[in-house]
Amino acid sequence: LAAAVAVVSVAGSLRGEDWPCFRGPHVDGISREALATGEGGAVRLEVVWKKPLGSAYSGVAVAGEHVVTMFSDGEFDYVVALSAKDGDELWRHKVAPTYEGHDGSHTGPIGTPAISDGHVYALGAKGQLLCLELESGKLVWSVDLPKDHEASAPFYGFGGSPIVMGGTVIVGPASSEGVLGGFDAKSGKRQWVAGDDGWQYQTPIPWEHGGKRGVLAAGNGKLVFIDPATGEVLWQDRKSVV
């Protein structure tokens, strides 16, 4: 899968709201921006720039003038930041030797980076959880989930995307002790693990239930609602099988 990043403008305007993580600012895949329309309600999109990259499944995260994604050049997997204005490469960080596709899957990273408070959080397909400075790409901390926490890699590699809530980076599978893990956004220290279900390529989402803000995660067989600060499972239920 040859990845490329393209930026389009509407009615000559490039700057829009940030898209800081997988599926956008509300993690629901919906942009709440109003599009300017022309005669007859038509919207015209114009390509401002296009940047060919290597193989990957990763989406893009956007904050200010930074567009961040992941890709493979066939030898290594990278996190890369591009200029939202013209597509120029601002920096790239080498994650690991490239994750080789197998059994029909494509080579390269799978998850989408998250941007929060001037930092980029990315999960490599081999389980490398990274924190980088958004402006420079400098490595702040890294955690190897399989080596450091005995997390089992899904068949096609680590494919979920990290989310950041209240200073906690949440990813899965994170440990042999639980499917989700919360890591301190500043240090990378694991704060908690939670859930006794299986986990593959899902991404948890922020959710509010009963006046409580938490993280909702769909495991292989259960839905769990977790306090992102403590990892306490507030409730869980088995998913319906269709």
Side-chain angles (χ1 to χ4, degrees):
L1 179 64
V5 176
V7 169
V8 299
S9 67
V10 180
S13 175
L14 175 62
R15 186 71 178 96
E17 73 171 340
D18 287 343
W19 194 265
C21 61
F22 179 65
R23 304 191 75 222
H26 307 286
V27 201
D28 58 6
I30 298 173
S31 173
R32 288 162 174 78
E33 293 182 279
L35 296 179
T37 57
E39 186 177 351
V43 176
R44 187 179 68 186
L45 301 178
E46 297 179 351
V47 176
V48 177
W49 55 261
K50 184 183 293 185
K51 182 79 170 182
L53 297 172
S55 179
Y57 290 97
S58 302
V60 298
V62 182
E65 297 303 317
H66 290 76
V67 176
V68 182
T69 190
M70 302 177 75
F71 75 99
S72 167
D73 66 357
E75 185 177 1
F76 293 98
D77 290 347
Y78 294 92
V79 183
V80 64
L82 309 173
S83 166
K85 180 180 179 180
D86 53 24
D88 284 351
E89 185 172 314
L90 303 175
W91 54 259
R92 68 170 61 186
H93 178 83
K94 184 186 296 182
V95 178
T98 196
Y99 182 85
E100 295 290 344
H102 56 92
D103 294 86
S105 71
H106 297 287
T107 292
I110 305 168
T112 299
I115 303 173
S116 178
D117 195 26
H119 293 84
V120 175
Y121 302 92
L123 179 62
K126 294 182 178 179
Q128 308 89 351
L129 179 62
L130 309 174
C131 173
L132 309 168
E133 292 182 354
L134 176 61
E135 288 294 329
S136 66
K138 179 182 177 181
L139 180 66
V140 179
W141 55 259
S142 66
V143 175
D144 188 311
L145 296 179
K147 290 183 180 179
D148 298 338
H149 299 294
E150 299 182 341
S152 297
F155 183 75
Y156 290 108
F158 288 81
S161 302
I163 63 169
V164 186
M165 295 184 66
T168 302
V169 183
I170 302 165
V171 295
S175 168
S176 60
E177 304 169 43
V179 295
L180 280 187
F183 297 80
D184 181 76
K186 293 183 178 180
S187 68
K189 181 180 179 180
R190 194 182 72 186
Q191 306 286 60
W192 52 261
V193 293
D196 58 359
D197 198 4
W199 191 268
Q200 297 296 319
Y201 317 103
Q202 305 92 310
T203 294
I205 63 172
W207 195 260
E208 187 170 321
H209 177 78
K212 177 71 174 181
R213 184 75 168 169
V215 57
L216 182 67
N220 292 345
K222 299 177 183 178
L223 284 172
V224 291
F225 185 61
I226 298 169
D227 184 329
T230 65
E232 178 187 0
V233 176
L234 303 175
W235 58 258
Q236 64 180 344
D237 196 4
R238 290 199 171 275
K239 298 189 295 182
S240 297
V241 178
V242 179

